[in-house]
Amino acid sequence: MAATAHQLFREQSTGKKKRERTRSALLDSAISVFASKGFEATRITDITNHAELANGTFYNYYQDKDELLRDVASGLAVEITGRINDEMEGLTHGPTRVALATARLLHVARQEPEWLNVLLEGVFIVPELQSATVQYLRQDLDMGIAQGHFTIEINLLLINQILALIRAALLLDPGMSDATIRQTCEAVLRLLGLTPTKSRKQVDKVFQRHLES
């Protein structure tokens, strides 16, 4: 499958110096090639060829593709969480926040499936990204625990289980239908201790109040 073209990092570097624009071209090409070939199968020449850059240019910015994956996944995380956080302002109910954040993440995957694909690969491969993910999710999970909704211990295993549910949705339904989004949100809430009935009702409320227009 041919790698598509992405412009996320290029757009962010518009008007900046050539060095930053070249780095952005590598980052955008990495999204495309990692998503198309997978991280392990990708060669550095695949990325530089996609970016239409000389192979040696890569080493002016990165020592290896692991370092590049870290920067790509970190940049995607900032972009995606920024979109989600804008809609979470003022929400103080733990299950609502978790269900809405999960649904919005999957909506991003509907629009940009390669972003989530590469981000999740980065989280599973780069240790510091796993730690950052734990810290990002902890606020909402702690809120749900304090409110008596969640009956879980927050640890890396739990975070990886949540991410595995999201990754399974992406693999099984790349088009990310509303049914898949609902089912995934319900599965996450059940993992956190809600009953199937409560999970379904909570997701119904989130869709009615925040996702249906």
Side-chain angles (χ1 to χ4, degrees):
M1 181 174 63
T4 56
H6 287 272
Q7 298 291 328
L8 172 65
F9 293 102
R10 287 182 178 90
E11 290 176 357
Q12 293 175 353
S13 66
T14 299
K16 295 185 178 180
K17 294 182 179 180
K18 181 180 178 180
R19 179 174 176 81
E20 184 61 27
R21 296 198 307 272
T22 302
R23 176 179 174 274
S24 296
L26 287 170
L27 293 169
D28 280 328
S29 291
I31 296 175
S32 303
V33 180
F34 287 155
S36 175
K37 302 188 68 168
F39 175 75
E40 293 299 335
T42 294
R43 300 170 301 173
I44 289 172
T45 53
D46 296 325
I47 296 169
T48 54
N49 287 342
H50 187 277
E52 299 182 348
L53 295 170
N55 191 50
T57 302
F58 178 91
Y59 297 99
N60 293 330
Y61 298 85
Y62 296 102
Q63 294 183 2
D64 51 38
K65 66 178 183 178
D66 295 70
E67 192 175 27
L68 175 61
L69 176 63
R70 183 199 64 205
D71 275 7
V72 169
S74 296
L76 288 171
V78 169
E79 176 68 22
I80 293 171
T81 56
R83 296 185 181 193
I84 294 172
N85 290 343
D86 287 344
E87 299 191 52
M88 304 284 279
E89 190 72 28
L91 294 180
T92 58
H93 183 250
T96 297
R97 290 182 62 89
V98 169
L100 180 58
T102 303
R104 282 306 186 194
L105 177 63
L106 296 177
H107 275 169
V108 171
R110 177 187 288 172
Q111 299 167 343
E112 299 284 356
E114 293 186 339
W115 289 11
L116 186 56
N117 187 330
V118 175
L119 173 59
L120 290 176
E121 192 160 26
V123 169
F124 280 110
I125 291 174
V126 182
E128 55 262 42
L129 290 176
Q130 289 190 349
S131 299
T133 302
V134 173
Q135 292 304 313
Y136 178 74
L137 295 178
R138 179 175 290 277
Q139 177 182 353
D140 293 343
L141 298 180
D142 279 338
M143 184 182 296
I145 292 171
Q147 294 168 348
H149 302 296
F150 300 155
T151 56
I152 42 87
E153 177 185 350
I154 303 172
N155 53 36
L156 190 55
L157 175 60
L158 175 69
I159 301 303
N160 280 332
Q161 288 174 321
I162 293 172
L163 296 177
L165 287 170
I166 293 169
R167 195 170 201 179
L170 185 62
L171 290 172
L172 293 172
D173 183 9
M176 208 55 65
S177 66
D178 281 351
T180 294
I181 294 175
R182 283 177 175 271
Q183 291 167 10
T184 306
C185 291
E186 290 177 24
V188 170
L189 291 177
R190 291 199 300 273
L191 179 64
L192 299 178
L194 271 66
T195 66
T197 298
K198 287 184 177 180
S199 298
R200 184 173 59 254
K201 288 182 178 179
Q202 180 61 62
V203 173
D204 284 344
K205 288 181 181 178
V206 166
F207 266 75
Q208 291 166 6
R209 297 176 182 177
H210 301 281
L211 300 173
E212 293 177 350
S213 56

